[in-house]
Amino acid sequence: MNAPPSLELHGLQLVTIVAETVLRDRITRRLQDLGATGFTVTESQGRGSRGLRTGDVPGQGVRIETLVTPEVAVRILGMVAERYFADYAVIAWVTEVQVVRGDKYVGPR
Amino acid sequence: MNAPPSLELHGLQLVTIVAETVLRDRITRRLQDLGATGFTVTESQGRGSRGLRTGDVPGQGVRIETLVTPEVAVRILGMVAERYFADYAVIAWVTEVQVVRGDKYVGPR
Amino acid sequence: MNAPPSLELHGLQLVTIVAETVLRDRITRRLQDLGATGFTVTESQGRGSRGLRTGDVPGQGVRIETLVTPEVAVRILGMVAERYFADYAVIAWVTEVQVVRGDKYVGPR
Amino acid sequence: MGSILEVNLLSPITLAFALGILARRIGSDLSLPREIYGGLGIYLLFALGLKGGHELAQASLATIALPVVATLALGCVRPLTSWTVLRGVGRLPVADAAGIAAHYGSVSAVTFIAALTFVDAMGDPAAGFLPTLLALLESPGIAIALMIGAVKAGTSRPVGEVVHEVLAGRTLVLLVGGLAIGYFSAPEAWEQVQPFFDGAVFKGALTLFLLEMGIVAADRLDDLKTTGPFLVAFGIGMAVVHGILGVAVGHAVGLAPGSATVLGAMSASASYIAAPPAVRITLPEANPTLSLTASLAITFPFNIVVGIPLYYRFATFLAA
Amino acid sequence: MGSILEVNLLSPITLAFALGILARRIGSDLSLPREIYGGLGIYLLFALGLKGGHELAQASLATIALPVVATLALGCVRPLTSWTVLRGVGRLPVADAAGIAAHYGSVSAVTFIAALTFVDAMGDPAAGFLPTLLALLESPGIAIALMIGAVKAGTSRPVGEVVHEVLAGRTLVLLVGGLAIGYFSAPEAWEQVQPFFDGAVFKGALTLFLLEMGIVAADRLDDLKTTGPFLVAFGIGMAVVHGILGVAVGHAVGLAPGSATVLGAMSASASYIAAPPAVRITLPEANPTLSLTASLAITFPFNIVVGIPLYYRFATFLAA
Amino acid sequence: MGSILEVNLLSPITLAFALGILARRIGSDLSLPREIYGGLGIYLLFALGLKGGHELAQASLATIALPVVATLALGCVRPLTSWTVLRGVGRLPVADAAGIAAHYGSVSAVTFIAALTFVDAMGDPAAGFLPTLLALLESPGIAIALMIGAVKAGTSRPVGEVVHEVLAGRTLVLLVGGLAIGYFSAPEAWEQVQPFFDGAVFKGALTLFLLEMGIVAADRLDDLKTTGPFLVAFGIGMAVVHGILGVAVGHAVGLAPGSATVLGAMSASASYIAAPPAVRITLPEANPTLSLTASLAITFPFNIVVGIPLYYRFATFLAA
Ligand SMILES: Nc1ncnc2c1ncn2[C@@H]1O[C@H](COP(=O)(O)O)[C@@H](O)[C@H]1O
Ligand SMILES: Nc1ncnc2c1ncn2[C@@H]1O[C@H](COP(=O)(O)O)[C@@H](O)[C@H]1O
Ligand SMILES: Nc1ncnc2c1ncn2[C@@H]1O[C@H](COP(=O)(O)O)[C@@H](O)[C@H]1O
Ligand code: NA
Ligand code: NA
Ligand code: NA
């Protein structure tokens, strides 16, 4: 992308986590500790390998997105995998993106 | 991304389909047949080339995401294009992503 | 991705803008002027560097997605950065994607 | 007719609809949350069914036999008249004509309720079995028009699947389910919930619903510019023709003016809830803007403001 | 018993539940918007608390002391009987047994309200302090079952955190908060809002709520195929045992048949709002499909249709 | 004053607000679905307008002329006093001062309704044309404060566009639209819907609305730590000054104590629905946390709990 320098595009990683609603606050609270500077949540519904509707426990699922550096992404994915993968309906993936004024989202190390 | 091997990141494709609500069940029912192991749906509104509001037919639009292998992605996109592109307000795209424990989402072939 | 030629995949850019709800119509109205052929909006909630809840002003946040060519993407990001970054809770990023029948989304130049 | 129109125009129900239109025209952000609008719609249909079922339990089979037959006949005739006009006069493509005919072959429950409320206010309340007729008039028209469309368009679309969807659709399930519950409930049990499903609560909920319907209809007014004058003429003309027909048929089978008016309003109305998704799936080439604009932005307001008093006037004329 | 069952079956409340199940079984898209369903639930709990609080202000401490003790005892016993049967007879894994026991140790407020409405219709209204007992029976059972589960599973899960979540959960806050407001409000102030929180509005809202509960329950009926016959037997058997126990205990502490019936129905019921998220967090290995299917698709309908009349029959038998 | 405060504190309306605050402080997940909250807000404003319009139709122009002038004067003065204090005493930046002044130049409809309910309970009901005054007091203050801000900040922000947005905003459309409908509806037509828009249903809906407002306000209490003591003093002090001013002006133009109290409460209140988006667009440099915390977490609770009884006390003192 031929961005004029003024646009200051930064390569970052977008971590997307789809999880049962019951985990919403537990996960977002941890994001900041792991170095994320913010997050965006949307409501979702889904079906996965678990055969479980995400809405099995009343309330739907949530889709959490956070823009982070690669190191923070690894920490977040590790946390999600370790704590929640065994027992909960959770899925997480990473996308490479270009962020405007991306330096804002590089948290303290 | 320097993922520690323990994280088992898998390259997969994220297919996103934005469609009229009336197609929601018709599309998600087909996904599994084509090899997807799951999907996530969020509600959406939109405006496109058709000049049609997605909400023209009562009910809003839906945004369906499914993580799949490249072969399955092609099948899904083909199905959507063939069946729905001519007559419905539908759009579909593919993003390359890295998925934690991505092997879970490689369905039976 | 080994797409059969019939699928006509086009490389495009997906611009995602997360913003205060109060900006929803202001931003979407501008998208078309800048060359976008459509957009998809979902409701969201979030927390960012501003320490502000997106929902501080009653109403939640919105997540606007638009598939565009790289030139249009630059224009949109520039508009968002210039007009809204200083004073509003806004974030924007770009992802490289493959779009089915992507030529539909290349607006007039 | 002056005072009849006045009763209709100066009711909070009609005025709320006008306020909704006005609000959107001046660019207001006013809008009932979608879920509230949906919930009110469910409440109105269910309440209508419950009350109708309770009253049906008091009616004799002899009283309703002829009106039932007449209603089914209307259900078969209306999609055909619509189709004929749309193809013959409007020269619309097959899919569009069939799609619009499906809307005008079905009914608008809100128009029905507004007519009930109007004849109540005129001191000429309709018979208790009218909601049963509404349930009977809802589906046949959709099915017939879709079948015409499928045959003429030579498609192998899932008409069977769609017939099921219409029969299992929320409108019919609420109406028929409510009728059954009202019919079978013990009278004392019905009385315990009646004030919630009847009277001021029902009319108040209808007022709020019409406020939002005004907003929704106003959103379609701009489409009139692109859909052209034929659709406007069709939306009004079809309403008048079907309305007069409904009143006449009602009178012929022995309905009093209040009931004949409501049957006329029902017959004059066009669907905007049950028909659209059914048409969207079966005849996707049909342009949904045409059918929705006609039923929501033309026929519905026409009936609410002018049509219902007109049908009433005709019904009292026949009965005189 | 014939006429008792009839009163129960031919009420709009029970019939609306049946309609919800039927609608989903025939593949209807009918569904109350999630937000309306949530809002109705909040209204019902809050209204129940308000009314109960207003009536509690008229009760003497002497009258309610024994019933309170009896209720707390039921709250301790029910999770243990459930656990014992689930482990001993059903041979379920520790986490599943503890998870289900938490559901059957708590209560269903809707079953409680249906029982109140039923004894009203039978001319045997329950005492005004029963909602207070409901509030007392809600939480202990969840806490006890979760503690058993945490100990047996040897996990260090956040039981404390979860106990807080249950106590601060919406069900208890609305019920206890409503009780307090009803208790402290000046009688004239209560009268100004009473018609909104009581009588036909309350029962009408309950009818709509049960329509959606039928839809939700029907969605779980298919799960019965995979969860197997033990769960069906458990869901019905446990309801009967706890129901009879509740009625007997109520009779023993001096409750009249109406009140004893409601205590029995409360005891016979299983939670599907407060327990699920608590169990999901504390015992994530437990399969939520098992507990939700048992409480929503088996025990809840059983109590609504058959259980409540049965407990009433037993209560009048004891009182005879 | 003891018993006045008691009437106010022991009403379900005030107690529901307190429960909402408490629920959030103990970490409860209780919250009305956003759509229900929005729907209740629309209902309350529309009902207020309808009833006010119906009563306005009975008022003579002579009776309301002076109060109308007085209200418009209050609408011009209040943003100026607010601006002067915020700049002069608080030394806030231009944008923040203008933003907060816009909130305190407008009104809170819920405070108004609570005052109506309170004077009703005191046996001193307000005149029927008060809702008309509310509609008049809503917008001028926002426009004036935004204009000051735009001029002082030297920006070329879209003030015109924003004035349109405020005038076409949902609050004003519902209020003025409701007033017009209530005014023009035939009396018999109004009576048919009145029980839905008035009395217990209205007060019950207000109770639920205040439960959620307590939750929303509690979410802002933590912000008080960062916004500092000046804002607390401003939120209370401005309410008292504007409240006393409103009562005095009301008394001067001949309003009875009930009406003067309601005018005072209106004058003492600050907007949290109409003003925030208008300010956000016109003066984006203004920190929305400051204005929302002041109006929602300080002024609103102060008026609900202490202010309204105080203004009433003053109004009866003047009238004595
Ligand atoms: N292949 C997939 N693509 C997209 N979303 C998925 C996929 N699999 C699972 N999900 C989402 O993740 C949630 C949990 O999935 P699971 O843990 O596999 O049951 C589901 O409810 C879906 O929302
Ligand atoms: N360029 C675009 N970018 C993002 N979403 C789009 C775009 N074009 C269309 N859409 C979405 O796809 C739906 C159908 O578009 P269309 O078929 O072009 O009318 C719209 O309602 C939008 O939600
Ligand atoms: N690092 C991030 N990742 C994802 N979304 C973010 C991030 N930072 C901010 N946001 C979103 O952007 C909005 C505005 O952020 P800000 O301008 O930083 O306060 C927030 O409410 C979030 O929805
Ligand atoms: Na319809
Ligand atoms: Na529960
Ligand atoms: Na306001």
Side-chain angles (χ1 to χ4, degrees):
Chain A
M1 179 159 156
N2 304 325
S6 68
L7 260 180
E8 301 174 49
L9 287 183
H10 258 73
L12 281 179
Q13 298 200 326
L14 177 69
V15 178
T16 306
I17 306 165
V18 175
E20 301 178 30
T21 301
V22 92
L23 297 181
R24 179 192 170 134
D25 291 346
R26 282 178 167 74
I27 291 178
T28 54
R29 258 187 259 131
R30 291 284 295 155
L31 292 183
Q32 221 157 329
D33 304 343
L34 298 176
T37 61
F39 57 85
T40 298
V41 181
T42 47
E43 292 188 355
S44 69
Q45 294 178 287
R47 194 174 281 266
S49 63
R50 204 170 296 267
L52 253 193
R53 295 171 284 272
T54 319
D56 242 12
V57 172
Q60 327 246 91
V62 287
R63 189 177 176 284
I64 304 168
E65 290 175 305
T66 180
L67 283 168
V68 290
T69 58
E71 302 84 62
V72 175
V74 171
R75 274 183 245 150
I76 292 174
L77 294 175
M79 179 272 287
V80 168
E82 188 199 317
R83 297 201 176 196
Y84 300 118
F85 263 41
D87 295 321
Y88 294 96
V90 175
I91 183 170
W93 67 83
V94 183
T95 318
E96 305 280 336
V97 301
Q98 299 284 321
V99 183
V100 195
R101 304 250 172 99
D103 47 337
K104 262 180 68 177
Y105 309 99
V106 180
R109 291 164 200 239
Chain B
M1 180 159 156
N2 304 324
S6 68
L7 260 180
E8 302 174 48
L9 286 183
H10 257 73
L12 282 179
Q13 297 200 327
L14 177 69
V15 177
T16 306
I17 305 164
V18 175
E20 300 178 31
T21 302
V22 92
L23 298 180
R24 179 192 170 134
D25 292 346
R26 282 178 166 72
I27 291 178
T28 55
R29 258 188 259 132
R30 290 285 295 155
L31 291 183
Q32 221 157 328
D33 304 344
L34 298 176
T37 61
F39 57 84
T40 299
V41 182
T42 49
E43 292 187 354
S44 69
Q45 295 178 286
R47 194 172 282 266
S49 63
R50 202 169 298 268
L52 253 192
R53 296 172 283 275
T54 319
D56 243 11
V57 172
Q60 326 246 92
V62 289
R63 190 177 176 284
I64 304 169
E65 290 174 306
T66 180
L67 283 167
V68 291
T69 57
E71 302 84 62
V72 175
V74 171
R75 274 183 245 150
I76 292 173
L77 294 175
M79 179 272 289
V80 169
E82 187 199 316
R83 296 200 177 196
Y84 300 117
F85 263 41
D87 295 322
Y88 295 96
V90 175
I91 183 170
W93 66 85
V94 183
T95 318
E96 305 280 336
V97 300
Q98 299 285 321
V99 184
V100 195
R101 306 251 171 100
D103 46 338
K104 261 180 68 177
Y105 309 100
V106 180
R109 295 172 193 232
Chain C
M1 180 158 157
N2 305 325
S6 67
L7 260 179
E8 300 175 49
L9 286 185
H10 256 73
L12 280 179
Q13 297 200 326
L14 177 70
V15 177
T16 306
I17 305 165
V18 176
E20 301 178 31
T21 302
V22 92
L23 298 180
R24 179 192 170 134
D25 291 347
R26 282 179 166 72
I27 292 177
T28 55
R29 258 187 259 132
R30 290 286 295 155
L31 291 183
Q32 221 156 329
D33 303 344
L34 298 176
T37 61
F39 56 84
T40 299
V41 181
T42 48
E43 292 189 353
S44 68
Q45 294 177 286
R47 194 173 282 267
S49 64
R50 204 170 296 269
L52 253 193
R53 294 172 284 275
T54 319
D56 244 11
V57 172
Q60 326 247 91
V62 288
R63 189 177 177 285
I64 303 168
E65 289 174 306
T66 180
L67 283 168
V68 291
T69 57
E71 302 83 64
V72 175
V74 171
R75 274 183 245 150
I76 292 174
L77 294 174
M79 177 273 287
V80 169
E82 188 200 318
R83 296 200 175 195
Y84 301 118
F85 263 40
D87 294 322
Y88 294 96
V90 174
I91 183 170
W93 67 85
V94 182
T95 318
E96 304 280 337
V97 301
Q98 299 285 322
V99 184
V100 194
R101 306 250 170 99
D103 46 337
K104 262 179 67 178
Y105 309 100
V106 180
R109 296 171 193 233
Chain D
M1 177 106 191
S3 126
I4 300 183
L5 245 180
E6 210 176 294
V7 167
N8 195 48
L9 289 181
L10 297 189
S11 87
I13 292 169
T14 315
L15 291 173
F17 181 72
L19 176 60
I21 293 187
L22 187 73
R24 190 45 58 105
R25 296 318 286 179
I26 64 168
S28 174
D29 64 339
L30 176 63
S31 169
L32 271 192
R34 201 160 47 95
E35 290 79 8
I36 303 283
Y37 187 51
L40 283 175
I42 289 177
Y43 162 83
L44 289 171
L45 283 167
F46 190 49
L48 185 64
L50 285 177
K51 199 183 154 200
H54 174 71
E55 289 175 2
L56 187 63
Q58 266 104 56
S60 72
L61 191 63
T63 333
I64 68 163
L66 266 182
V68 161
V69 173
T71 303
L72 290 175
L74 281 174
C76 298
V77 167
R78 290 157 72 248
L80 298 177
T81 49
S82 308
W83 161 265
T84 308
V85 173
L86 290 159
R87 290 287 288 167
V89 184
R91 312 229 156 267
L92 290 187
V94 164
D96 284 335
I100 301 175
H103 288 69
Y104 282 78
S106 183
V107 291
S108 149
V110 178
T111 307
F112 174 89
I113 295 174
L116 277 189
T117 309
F118 172 80
V119 294
D120 252 15
M122 296 307 296
D124 246 336
F129 58 78
L130 263 293
T132 310
L133 304 187
L134 179 71
L136 292 173
L137 194 55
E138 224 244 344
S139 313
I142 299 180
I144 291 171
L146 291 182
M147 242 124 51
I148 299 175
V151 169
K152 294 277 174 183
T155 54
S156 57
R157 296 282 176 182
V159 176
E161 195 183 318
V162 163
V163 166
H164 171 261
E165 257 181 40
V166 171
L167 291 179
R170 60 179 62 210
T171 311
L172 213 61
V173 167
L174 283 166
L175 210 46
V176 174
L179 280 167
I181 295 179
Y183 188 89
F184 289 113
S185 285
E188 319 83 63
W190 161 246
E191 271 151 36
Q192 286 201 315
V193 297
Q194 178 180 21
F196 181 77
F197 288 115
D198 199 3
V201 177
F202 184 76
K203 290 191 182 113
L206 180 63
T207 307
L208 279 183
F209 192 81
L210 276 171
L211 177 65
E212 179 69 17
M213 277 204 64
I215 294 169
V216 172
D219 275 348
R220 308 224 136 251
L221 287 179
D222 285 335
D223 291 329
L224 287 180
K225 283 178 217 140
T226 55
T227 56
F230 167 71
L231 208 65
V232 178
F234 174 82
I236 294 175
M238 209 73 255
V240 172
V241 170
H242 284 163
I244 295 294
L245 178 69
V247 172
V249 165
H251 178 72
V253 298
L255 295 184
S259 300
T261 302
V262 174
L263 185 65
M266 213 192 286
S267 173
S269 75
S271 168
Y272 47 85
I273 293 179
V279 173
R280 197 77 194 102
I281 287 300
T282 329
L283 297 167
E285 321 84 282
N287 180 354
T289 300
L290 294 180
S291 44
L292 270 170
T293 302
S295 69
L296 252 179
I298 306 169
T299 301
F300 180 77
F302 172 79
N303 279 327
I304 294 295
V305 175
V306 180
I308 294 176
L310 181 74
Y311 312 140
Y312 178 69
R313 190 77 190 71
F314 183 58
T316 51
F317 165 82
L318 287 184
Chain E
M1 176 105 193
S3 127
I4 299 184
L5 245 180
E6 210 176 293
V7 167
N8 195 48
L9 290 182
L10 297 189
S11 87
I13 292 169
T14 315
L15 291 173
F17 182 72
L19 175 61
I21 293 187
L22 187 74
R24 190 45 59 105
R25 295 319 285 182
I26 64 169
S28 174
D29 65 338
L30 176 63
S31 170
L32 271 191
R34 203 160 47 96
E35 290 78 9
I36 302 283
Y37 187 50
L40 283 175
I42 289 177
Y43 163 82
L44 289 172
L45 283 167
F46 190 49
L48 184 64
L50 285 176
K51 198 183 155 199
H54 174 70
E55 289 176 1
L56 187 63
Q58 267 103 57
S60 72
L61 190 64
T63 332
I64 68 162
L66 266 182
V68 161
V69 173
T71 302
L72 291 175
L74 282 173
C76 298
V77 167
R78 289 157 71 248
L80 299 177
T81 48
S82 308
W83 163 264
T84 307
V85 173
L86 290 159
R87 289 289 287 168
V89 185
R91 312 231 154 267
L92 291 187
V94 163
D96 285 334
I100 301 175
H103 288 68
Y104 283 79
S106 183
V107 291
S108 149
V110 178
T111 307
F112 174 88
I113 295 174
L116 276 189
T117 308
F118 173 79
V119 294
D120 252 14
M122 296 306 298
D124 247 336
F129 57 79
L130 263 293
T132 310
L133 304 187
L134 180 71
L136 292 173
L137 194 56
E138 224 244 345
S139 314
I142 300 180
I144 290 172
L146 291 182
M147 242 122 53
I148 299 176
V151 169
K152 293 278 172 182
T155 54
S156 57
R157 298 282 175 179
V159 176
E161 195 184 318
V162 163
V163 166
H164 171 260
E165 257 181 41
V166 171
L167 291 179
R170 62 181 60 208
T171 312
L172 213 60
V173 166
L174 284 166
L175 209 48
V176 173
L179 280 167
I181 294 179
Y183 189 90
F184 289 113
S185 286
E188 320 82 65
W190 161 247
E191 270 150 37
Q192 287 200 313
V193 296
Q194 179 181 21
F196 180 76
F197 288 116
D198 199 4
V201 177
F202 185 76
K203 287 190 184 114
L206 180 63
T207 307
L208 279 183
F209 193 80
L210 276 171
L211 177 65
E212 179 67 17
M213 277 205 63
I215 293 168
V216 173
D219 275 347
R220 308 224 136 250
L221 286 180
D222 284 335
D223 290 329
L224 287 181
K225 283 178 216 139
T226 55
T227 56
F230 167 71
L231 208 67
V232 178
F234 174 81
I236 294 175
M238 209 73 254
V240 173
V241 170
H242 284 162
I244 295 294
L245 179 69
V247 172
V249 166
H251 179 72
V253 298
L255 296 183
S259 301
T261 302
V262 175
L263 185 64
M266 212 192 286
S267 174
S269 75
S271 168
Y272 47 84
I273 294 178
V279 172
R280 197 78 194 101
I281 288 299
T282 329
L283 296 167
E285 322 83 283
N287 180 353
T289 301
L290 292 180
S291 42
L292 270 171
T293 302
S295 69
L296 251 180
I298 306 170
T299 300
F300 180 76
F302 173 78
N303 279 327
I304 293 296
V305 175
V306 181
I308 294 175
L310 180 75
Y311 313 140
Y312 179 68
R313 190 77 190 71
F314 183 58
T316 50
F317 165 80
L318 287 184
Chain F
M1 175 107 193
S3 126
I4 300 182
L5 245 180
E6 210 176 293
V7 167
N8 195 49
L9 291 181
L10 297 190
S11 88
I13 292 169
T14 316
L15 291 173
F17 181 71
L19 175 61
I21 293 188
L22 187 74
R24 191 44 59 105
R25 296 317 285 179
I26 64 169
S28 173
D29 64 339
L30 176 64
S31 169
L32 271 192
R34 202 160 48 95
E35 289 79 9
I36 302 283
Y37 187 51
L40 283 175
I42 289 176
Y43 163 82
L44 289 172
L45 284 167
F46 189 50
L48 185 64
L50 285 177
K51 199 184 154 198
H54 174 72
E55 289 175 1
L56 188 64
Q58 266 104 56
S60 73
L61 190 64
T63 332
I64 68 163
L66 266 183
V68 161
V69 173
T71 302
L72 290 175
L74 282 174
C76 298
V77 168
R78 290 156 71 249
L80 298 177
T81 49
S82 308
W83 162 265
T84 308
V85 173
L86 289 160
R87 289 289 288 167
V89 185
R91 312 230 156 267
L92 290 188
V94 162
D96 285 334
I100 301 175
H103 287 69
Y104 282 80
S106 182
V107 291
S108 149
V110 178
T111 307
F112 174 88
I113 295 173
L116 276 190
T117 308
F118 173 81
V119 294
D120 251 15
M122 297 307 298
D124 247 335
F129 58 78
L130 263 293
T132 309
L133 305 187
L134 179 71
L136 292 173
L137 194 54
E138 225 244 346
S139 314
I142 299 180
I144 291 172
L146 290 182
M147 243 125 50
I148 299 175
V151 169
K152 294 278 171 181
T155 55
S156 57
R157 298 281 175 181
V159 176
E161 194 184 319
V162 163
V163 166
H164 171 261
E165 256 181 43
V166 171
L167 291 178
R170 60 180 62 208
T171 311
L172 213 61
V173 167
L174 283 166
L175 210 46
V176 174
L179 281 166
I181 294 179
Y183 188 90
F184 289 113
S185 285
E188 321 81 65
W190 160 247
E191 270 151 37
Q192 285 200 315
V193 297
Q194 178 180 21
F196 181 76
F197 288 116
D198 199 2
V201 177
F202 185 75
K203 289 191 183 113
L206 180 63
T207 308
L208 279 183
F209 193 80
L210 276 172
L211 176 65
E212 180 67 16
M213 278 206 62
I215 293 168
V216 173
D219 275 347
R220 308 224 136 251
L221 287 180
D222 285 335
D223 291 328
L224 287 181
K225 283 178 215 140
T226 55
T227 55
F230 167 72
L231 207 67
V232 179
F234 174 81
I236 294 175
M238 209 72 254
V240 172
V241 170
H242 284 164
I244 294 294
L245 179 69
V247 172
V249 165
H251 179 73
V253 299
L255 296 183
S259 300
T261 301
V262 174
L263 185 64
M266 215 192 286
S267 174
S269 75
S271 168
Y272 47 85
I273 293 179
V279 173
R280 197 78 194 103
I281 287 299
T282 329
L283 296 167
E285 323 81 282
N287 179 353
T289 300
L290 293 180
S291 43
L292 269 171
T293 302
S295 69
L296 251 181
I298 305 170
T299 300
F300 180 76
F302 172 79
N303 279 328
I304 293 296
V305 175
V306 180
I308 294 174
L310 181 75
Y311 312 141
Y312 179 69
R313 190 76 189 73
F314 182 58
T316 52
F317 165 82
L318 287 184

